[in-house]
Structure formats: structure tokens, C-alpha cells
Amino acid sequence: MGGAVVDDAPPGVKAPDGGWGWAVLAGGFVITGFSYAFPKAVSVFFKELIREFDVGYSDTALISSILLAMLYGSGPLCSVLVNRFGCRPVMMVGGLFASLGMILASFATSIIHIYLCTGVITGLGLALNFQPSLIMLNRYFSEKRPLANGLAAAGSPVALCCLSPLGQVLQYHYGWRGGFLILGGLLLNCCACGALMRPLLPPKKTENLEESIPTEEKKIQPKKKLLDFSVFKDRGFIIYTLAASIMVMGLFVPPVFVVSYAKSLGYEDTKSALLLTILGFVDMFARPICGLIAGTKWVRPRTVYVLSFAMIFNGCTDLIGSQAKDYGGLVIFCIFFGISYGMVGALQFEVLMAVVGTEKFPSAIGLVLLVEAIAVLVGPPGAGRLLDYTNVYMYVFLLAGCEVTLSAMVLALGNLFCIKIKHGETDATLEMAVNAAEKEGLNRGVEEEEDHGGEEEPKGKDNGKVRALKAGEEEITVMETGEKEEENTSI
């Protein structure tokens, strides 16, 4: 519980943009890989489960749906736990849950047991790892944050390329029960990744300045909310949430149906499955490259519009790909879909971080994921019903393309007309301005202390207090200026 206080990145702590942050990034890379790839990798065991429990494919596919629903739907719970206990303990407990679920599932006697163990317990464990890893990444990186987000997001395609073949090997040698047991042990690595999430500590000079402030003034500070609903007062957050919920209804549809699309054209299973490998390979490189570009001085203030472009790119790829009539056309579709899908994956959380800021991000990400969970449960099943009704894959891809394109319009036009263009530039420079003010204030405090030559004077403490307040006032002034600009530029 003590970590929760330090986890909040106290005033005067600048994001290191490196150092131990690279270890945090490595942990986030692994966690993102497990979180997004595991629900898909489990599908290699479906045939064995169908044979073992005498159920249909739709029954086994529900395992992946429950995993994804838990990953998204438990967002508010993760926010509350992180704000109460801190990121590191939540992630380590989440790693234990993720592992325990798969181990218990290996002893399952019915498909219901697997729903509860693999779907609910493992899904909750992955959720308790995924969201805190994003929060810590946001705290350790500021100027290099777009690149860090892109590299962490690349964990998803890399893990998918590794976990799916590994699952097939485990099933061949040990059966589905042995495979589940070994994968459960593999998920214990989430605990190691959680241990890497070391809370940021304030500099010693800052601690000395804070000690000089009377306890009466410290008590005035408001108590932190476990789940901050005030983010809904932010127009940018509302626009982002609405656009993201529309986007996920169609974003995950093509990867689910592209293999079946190829099979319906008469291609063999192995050749059809190769399409997902192509998509994942392109996605693997698209994410870090996009993150690197998004971190440049010209692009970063406009990341919300770059994300809108990526979403339009993805939607148009679906619309054009719906007309593919042979394997070559599907390969070209997977290449362009992998590029656009990687761009969206690299930018979506970077934009949310820029919209709400570091302080409100833990609550914002939880609420966004909850809304997206509802959309995820509606999107792919709705596309499946459309396919059952029409038996034409073209309509499925057209629907997905229209949904993603619509979400891009909502995001771009919402920011253009509801929030003036300068607002994006203010958001991008606000964080750096605050850090600069903090750094200047702290440096001024250190210089004045050195000028005193270590003399113990009553005024020394007062001066230290004044210096601390000046640094704080400077920071508050910058933040208030940003807020006032936002209010004045909003319609």
C-alpha cells in the first residue's frame, strides 16, 4: 500500500526517458504480447477440446471471447487497484492469477471449467498486468513516449508468431492438458515483468524541500480518488472514447475471418493460415516505426490526426480487400492491413495519454477499456451473424471497413470542430513545459542552498519553503494556462 503513494510520480519527478525505463519497456513488451496474443494462441487447442468434451466450435471459441472480455471489461477494477496499491503489486498478483487459471484448466472435466479457469481467472490476470504496464510506461517516458508505446505494442505480433507454433508443438507432444500446464508456467513470467515496474522516487533535494513545508499545509492536499470520473468532463476524452468504441467493432474482424475467406476460395489450410503470419510479420515492424515517426517534433503535436489517418487507412484497406478474388489479392490485403493495424496499435494509447495526461490516465484507460469491451462483444459476433445470413465474406469486410472509417471521422472531425487545432499543440508542449518549470525551480533551490554555504539560519528553511512553493506555483501556472486555452478554444 505504501507503493501507491510513490507510484503517483510525486511533484518534481521528471520522466527519465531512459535508464530503468528501458527495463519497464521490456516488461511492457512481454505483457502486451501475452495480453493480446494469448486469446488467439489458445485457439490451437480447440480441436482437441471439441473431441474431449464433445462440444461445437462456437463453444470453444467462447474461451477466447471471455478472455478478451475480461481483458477489456475489468479495466475500472484495475484502475481502482492501481490507485490503491500501486502498479507493481497489482501486476505480480495478476501474474499469479494468469498462471493459476491455466494450471487449473489443465485438470478440467468440462468446458464450463475451462470457461471459468482459462477465460475468467487467466483473463483477469492478464488484465491486471496489461493496464498497469501502460501506466508505468506513461510515467517513465515523456519525450520518447511515442517510440516507447510503439515498441511495447510490437509485443503483440511477436508473441503471436511465437505462441501459436509453441502451442501446436505442446499439443503434439503433451496433449492439451500438458500444453495448458506448461503455458501456465510460462505465464509466471508476468510476475517477473511486474517486478520490473519500480516506482519513481523523488530526488533527495525535493524530499528536503517538502519536509520544510508545515504539516498543516500537507494535510490540505485532497485525497486521491480510486476511480476518477471527472475525465468525462473532458471533451477530448469523450470524443476519443466514442471513436475507439466504434473502431473496435470492426478492427478485429478481418484477422478473424481472413483465413476462412481464403478457404472459401478453395485454398488449402496451410496456405490460408500463412496469411495471418504475413499480417503479423508486417505488423511487427509497423508498430515501432510508427512510434518513431510519431515522436518527431512536427508529428507529435498532431498525433490525434495521425491516428485518424491510420484508422481511415485501415478502413479503406478493408473496403478494397473485400473485392479480393484470389490468393494474391488476399496477400496484398494482409500487407496493407498489417501496416495500418500496426499504426493504430502504436498510436491508440499514446493519443489517450496525450488527451488526459499522466495524473488521470490510470482512471481513463480503465473506463475506455470497459466501453471497448462492450464493442468487442458486439463486433465480431455481429459480423459472424452477417456471414451466416449472407454467406458472402465481402459483406463482412465491407461492414468492418465502414465501422473503422466512421470512427476515424468521429475522431478527426470531433477534434477539429469541438477542440481548436491549437489545443493539440498545447497538449503536446504542456507536459514538457511543466517538466521544465519543475526542473528550473529545483535547480534554483539547489543554487540558493549552495550560496548559503550550509549555514543554519532560521530563514534558510523559510527560503527553502518559498523556493518549493515557487516551483509548484510555476508548475500550476503552466497547467492552468493550458486549461484556460482549452476552454477558450472550445466551442
Side-chain angles (χ1 to χ4, degrees):
M1 288 188 292
V5 179
V6 183
D7 230 14
D8 291 337
V13 179
K14 186 180 185 296
D17 274 313
W20 190 256
W22 297 117
V24 173
L25 174 59
F29 178 89
V30 175
I31 293 298
T32 303
F34 277 133
S35 300
Y36 278 113
F38 205 80
K40 303 170 188 174
V42 172
S43 62
V44 301
F45 298 98
F46 284 177
K47 287 186 178 179
E48 289 292 323
L49 295 176
I50 290 171
R51 188 180 300 113
E52 176 83 14
F53 300 115
D54 191 24
V55 294
Y57 184 82
S58 59
D59 296 319
T60 55
L62 191 58
I63 298 171
S64 295
S65 297
I66 296 174
L67 270 167
L68 285 172
M70 291 299 298
L71 179 65
Y72 284 91
S74 54
L77 173 63
C78 294
S79 297
V80 170
L81 293 176
V82 166
N83 288 331
R84 181 68 179 88
F85 300 105
C87 292
R88 178 188 271 176
V90 170
M91 290 182 69
M92 296 185 75
V93 171
L96 293 176
F97 270 89
S99 176
L100 179 64
M102 292 302 293
I103 293 173
L104 291 176
S106 67
F107 300 99
T109 57
S110 71
I111 194 69
I112 301 297
H113 292 168
I114 296 183
Y115 290 160
L116 294 174
C117 297
T118 301
V120 177
I121 299 177
T122 298
L124 177 61
L126 292 175
L128 292 177
N129 277 272
F130 175 62
Q131 188 174 320
S133 70
L134 289 176
I135 294 170
M136 291 303 294
L137 201 66
N138 181 37
R139 289 174 181 165
Y140 267 88
F141 289 91
S142 175
E143 295 178 11
K144 297 180 181 177
R145 192 175 63 201
L147 174 61
N149 275 312
L151 290 172
S156 174
V158 171
L160 185 60
C161 292
C162 297
L163 286 178
S164 294
L166 176 62
Q168 292 174 347
V169 171
L170 293 177
Q171 179 180 284
Y172 179 77
H173 288 285
Y174 305 105
W176 72 268
R177 293 185 186 274
F180 274 31
L181 192 63
I182 293 172
L183 287 177
L186 188 65
L187 284 173
L188 282 174
N189 285 292
C190 292
C191 295
C193 294
L196 293 174
M197 305 298 166
R198 188 169 64 192
L200 284 169
L201 297 174
K204 291 183 179 180
K205 293 292 182 183
T206 308
E207 290 179 349
N208 295 335
L209 293 175
E210 288 179 352
E211 287 175 3
S212 64
I213 300 176
T215 55
E216 294 79 8
E217 294 186 16
K218 292 182 180 179
K219 291 179 181 179
I220 299 176
Q221 298 177 356
K223 188 176 180 181
K224 184 175 180 180
K225 299 176 182 178
L226 295 179
L227 192 60
D228 191 356
F229 289 97
S230 66
V231 291
F232 284 106
K233 297 179 181 178
D234 188 333
R235 288 184 181 183
F237 175 76
I238 294 175
I239 293 169
Y240 177 90
T241 304
L242 179 60
S245 60
I246 298 173
M247 178 187 70
V248 297
M249 291 179 67
L251 185 65
F252 301 127
V253 170
V256 172
F257 289 96
V258 68
V259 175
S260 300
Y261 192 179
K263 290 179 181 178
S264 69
L265 295 176
Y267 297 100
E268 59 185 18
D269 293 359
T270 305
K271 196 172 183 179
S272 300
L274 183 61
L275 292 171
L276 277 183
T277 304
I278 295 172
L279 192 157
F281 184 78
V282 175
D283 183 14
M284 188 188 308
F285 292 97
R287 297 191 184 213
I289 292 174
C290 182
L292 185 63
I293 295 173
T296 59
K297 291 182 179 180
W298 188 86
V299 176
R300 190 172 185 187
R302 302 166 178 84
T303 48
V304 65
Y305 298 106
V306 178
L307 176 60
S308 300
F309 168 76
M311 292 157 68
I312 291 177
F313 185 11
N314 186 271
C316 292
T317 301
D318 293 342
L319 296 175
I320 298 173
S322 66
Q323 306 302 314
K325 302 298 182 183
D326 54 20
Y327 190 78
L330 289 177
V331 169
I332 295 173
F333 163 76
C334 286
I335 292 173
F336 283 95
F337 185 87
I339 296 172
S340 59
Y341 189 73
M343 291 175 66
V344 173
L347 294 173
Q348 57 177 339
F349 295 117
E350 165 62 24
V351 170
L352 179 60
M353 291 174 185
V355 168
V356 300
T358 302
E359 183 181 350
K360 294 186 178 181
F361 182 72
S363 296
I365 182 65
L367 295 170
V368 167
L369 289 177
L370 177 61
V371 176
E372 288 185 355
I374 301 171
V376 165
L377 291 176
V378 173
R385 289 196 175 188
L386 178 63
L387 180 62
D388 292 336
Y389 182 75
T390 62
N391 229 9
V392 178
Y393 282 90
M394 179 182 69
Y395 297 143
V396 173
F397 282 72
L398 286 174
L399 175 63
C402 290
E403 289 169 340
V404 178
T405 304
L406 175 61
S407 67
M409 297 297 181
V410 170
L411 183 63
L413 297 178
N415 277 273
L416 186 62
F417 292 109
C418 295
I419 302 173
K420 199 173 180 181
I421 297 176
K422 285 185 178 179
H423 175 57
E425 299 175 358
T426 302
D427 287 340
T429 57
L430 177 59
E431 186 175 355
M432 290 184 285
V434 171
N435 290 332
E438 290 175 352
K439 187 175 180 180
E440 183 183 349
L442 291 173
N443 289 338
R444 190 186 307 139
V446 173
E447 289 173 1
E448 291 183 17
E449 279 188 3
E450 290 175 353
D451 292 339
H452 282 294
E455 296 178 3
E456 294 183 2
E457 297 179 3
K459 294 182 180 180
K461 291 186 178 180
D462 293 336
N463 291 337
K465 174 183 170 184
V466 171
R467 287 193 297 272
L469 291 176
K470 280 185 178 178
E473 288 171 2
E474 206 165 357
E475 176 184 345
I476 293 170
T477 302
V478 175
M479 294 183 72
E480 287 180 348
T481 302
E483 291 175 1
K484 288 178 181 178
E485 285 185 11
E486 179 182 347
E487 291 175 3
N488 294 334
T489 55
S490 300
I491 294 176

Coordinates of all heavy atoms in Angstrom, one line a residue, residues 69 88 103 114 116 135 145 147 158 198 213 229 309 311 315 320 338 351 365 379 386 391 408 439 441 477-478 485:
A69 N -13.0 -10.3 -23.2 CA -14.0 -9.6 -22.4 C -13.4 -9.2 -21.1 O -13.6 -8.1 -20.6 CB -15.3 -10.4 -22.3
R88 N 3.1 -2.2 -9.3 CA 4.0 -3.4 -9.1 C 3.2 -4.5 -8.4 O 3.2 -5.7 -8.9 CB 5.3 -3.0 -8.4 CG 6.1 -4.3 -8.1 CD 7.3 -3.9 -7.3 NE 8.4 -3.4 -8.0 CZ 9.6 -3.0 -7.5 NH1 9.7 -2.9 -6.2 NH2 10.6 -2.6 -8.2
I103 N -3.2 -23.5 -15.1 CA -2.9 -24.7 -14.4 C -4.2 -25.5 -14.0 O -4.3 -26.7 -14.1 CB -2.0 -24.4 -13.2 CG1 -0.6 -23.9 -13.7 CG2 -1.8 -25.6 -12.3 CD1 0.3 -23.4 -12.6
I114 N -13.3 -24.8 -18.1 CA -12.3 -24.1 -18.9 C -12.7 -22.6 -19.0 O -11.9 -21.7 -19.0 CB -12.1 -24.8 -20.2 CG1 -11.5 -26.1 -20.0 CG2 -11.2 -23.9 -21.1 CD1 -11.1 -26.9 -21.3
L116 N -14.3 -20.9 -16.8 CA -14.1 -20.2 -15.5 C -12.6 -20.1 -15.3 O -12.1 -19.0 -14.8 CB -14.7 -21.0 -14.4 CG -16.2 -21.1 -14.4 CD1 -16.7 -22.0 -13.3 CD2 -16.8 -19.7 -14.2
I135 N 0.4 2.2 -17.7 CA 0.5 3.3 -16.8 C 2.0 3.6 -16.5 O 2.4 4.7 -16.5 CB -0.3 3.0 -15.5 CG1 -1.8 2.9 -15.8 CG2 0.0 4.1 -14.5 CD1 -2.6 2.4 -14.7
R145 N 8.0 8.9 -25.5 CA 6.8 8.1 -25.2 C 6.2 7.5 -26.5 O 5.9 6.3 -26.4 CB 5.8 8.9 -24.4 CG 4.7 8.0 -23.9 CD 3.8 8.8 -23.0 NE 3.1 9.8 -23.8 CZ 2.6 11.0 -23.3 NH1 2.6 11.2 -22.0 NH2 2.0 11.8 -24.0
L147 N 7.7 6.5 -29.2 CA 8.6 5.4 -29.6 C 8.4 4.2 -28.6 O 8.3 3.1 -29.0 CB 10.0 5.8 -29.6 CG 11.1 4.7 -29.8 CD1 10.8 4.0 -31.2 CD2 12.5 5.3 -29.7
V158 N 4.8 -10.1 -32.2 CA 5.9 -11.0 -31.9 C 5.5 -12.2 -31.1 O 5.8 -13.4 -31.4 CB 7.0 -10.3 -31.2 CG1 8.1 -11.2 -30.7 CG2 7.6 -9.2 -32.1
R198 N 9.4 -0.6 -11.2 CA 9.9 0.1 -10.0 C 9.2 1.5 -9.9 O 9.3 2.2 -10.9 CB 11.4 0.1 -10.0 CG 12.0 0.7 -8.7 CD 13.5 0.5 -8.7 NE 14.1 1.2 -9.8 CZ 15.4 1.0 -10.2 NH1 16.1 0.1 -9.6 NH2 15.9 1.8 -11.1
I213 N 7.9 22.1 4.4 CA 6.5 22.6 4.4 C 5.8 22.1 5.6 O 5.8 20.9 6.0 CB 5.8 22.1 3.1 CG1 6.6 22.5 1.9 CG2 4.4 22.5 3.1 CD1 6.0 22.0 0.6
F229 N -14.0 9.9 -12.2 CA -14.9 10.0 -13.3 C -14.9 11.4 -13.9 O -15.7 11.7 -14.9 CB -16.3 9.7 -12.8 CG -16.5 8.2 -12.5 CD1 -16.4 7.7 -11.2 CD2 -16.9 7.4 -13.6 CE1 -16.6 6.4 -11.0 CE2 -17.1 6.0 -13.3 CZ -16.9 5.5 -12.0
F309 N -5.8 9.2 -39.5 CA -5.3 8.8 -40.8 C -5.1 7.2 -40.8 O -5.5 6.5 -41.8 CB -4.0 9.5 -41.2 CG -3.3 8.8 -42.4 CD1 -3.8 9.1 -43.7 CD2 -2.2 8.0 -42.2 CE1 -3.2 8.5 -44.8 CE2 -1.6 7.4 -43.3 CZ -2.1 7.7 -44.6
M311 N -6.6 5.0 -39.0 CA -7.9 4.4 -39.0 C -8.6 4.4 -40.3 O -9.2 3.4 -40.8 CB -8.8 5.0 -37.9 CG -8.3 4.8 -36.5 SD -8.8 6.0 -35.3 CE -10.5 5.7 -35.2
G315 N -9.6 1.2 -42.5 CA -11.0 1.1 -43.1 C -11.0 0.9 -44.6 O -11.7 0.0 -45.1
I320 N -11.4 -2.2 -49.8 CA -10.8 -2.6 -51.0 C -10.5 -4.1 -51.0 O -10.7 -4.8 -52.0 CB -9.5 -1.8 -51.3 CG1 -9.8 -0.4 -51.5 CG2 -8.7 -2.4 -52.5 CD1 -8.5 0.5 -51.6
G338 N -1.7 -5.1 -42.3 CA -0.7 -5.2 -41.2 C -0.1 -3.8 -40.9 O 0.2 -3.5 -39.8
V351 N -2.3 8.5 -27.9 CA -3.2 9.6 -28.0 C -4.0 9.8 -26.8 O -4.2 10.9 -26.3 CB -4.1 9.4 -29.2 CG1 -5.3 10.4 -29.2 CG2 -3.4 9.5 -30.5
I365 N -7.9 5.0 -18.8 CA -7.6 3.8 -19.5 C -8.6 2.7 -19.1 O -9.1 1.9 -19.9 CB -6.2 3.3 -19.4 CG1 -5.9 2.0 -20.2 CG2 -5.8 3.0 -17.9 CD1 -6.0 2.2 -21.7
G379 N -19.0 -6.6 -32.0 CA -18.4 -6.5 -33.3 C -18.2 -7.8 -34.0 O -19.0 -8.2 -35.0
L386 N -23.8 -11.9 -39.7 CA -24.0 -11.4 -41.1 C -23.5 -12.4 -42.1 O -24.1 -12.6 -43.2 CB -23.2 -10.1 -41.3 CG -23.2 -9.4 -42.7 CD1 -24.7 -9.1 -43.1 CD2 -22.3 -8.2 -42.7
N391 N -23.7 -15.5 -46.3 CA -22.7 -16.5 -46.8 C -21.7 -15.8 -47.8 O -21.2 -16.5 -48.6 CB -23.4 -17.7 -47.5 CG -22.8 -19.0 -47.0 OD1 -22.0 -19.1 -46.1 ND2 -23.2 -20.1 -47.6
A408 N -12.8 6.9 -37.6 CA -11.8 7.9 -37.9 C -12.4 9.3 -38.1 O -11.9 10.3 -37.7 CB -11.1 7.5 -39.2
K439 N 12.0 21.5 -13.2 CA 13.5 21.4 -13.2 C 14.1 22.8 -12.8 O 15.0 22.9 -12.0 CB 13.9 21.0 -14.6 CG 15.4 20.6 -14.6 CD 15.8 20.1 -16.0 CE 17.3 19.8 -16.1 NZ 17.6 19.2 -17.4
G441 N 12.8 25.2 -11.1 CA 12.5 25.5 -9.7 C 13.4 24.8 -8.8 O 14.0 25.3 -7.8
T477 N 0.8 27.3 -12.7 CA 0.5 28.4 -13.7 C 0.5 27.8 -15.1 O -0.4 28.1 -15.9 CB 1.6 29.5 -13.6 OG1 1.6 30.0 -12.2 CG2 1.3 30.6 -14.6
V478 N 1.5 27.0 -15.4 CA 1.6 26.4 -16.7 C 0.3 25.5 -17.0 O -0.3 25.6 -18.1 CB 2.9 25.5 -16.9 CG1 2.8 24.8 -18.2 CG2 4.1 26.4 -16.8
E485 N -6.6 27.8 -22.1 CA -6.6 27.9 -23.5 C -7.6 26.9 -24.1 O -8.2 27.2 -25.1 CB -5.2 27.5 -24.0 CG -4.2 28.7 -23.9 CD -2.8 28.3 -24.5 OE1 -2.8 27.3 -25.2 OE2 -1.8 29.0 -24.2

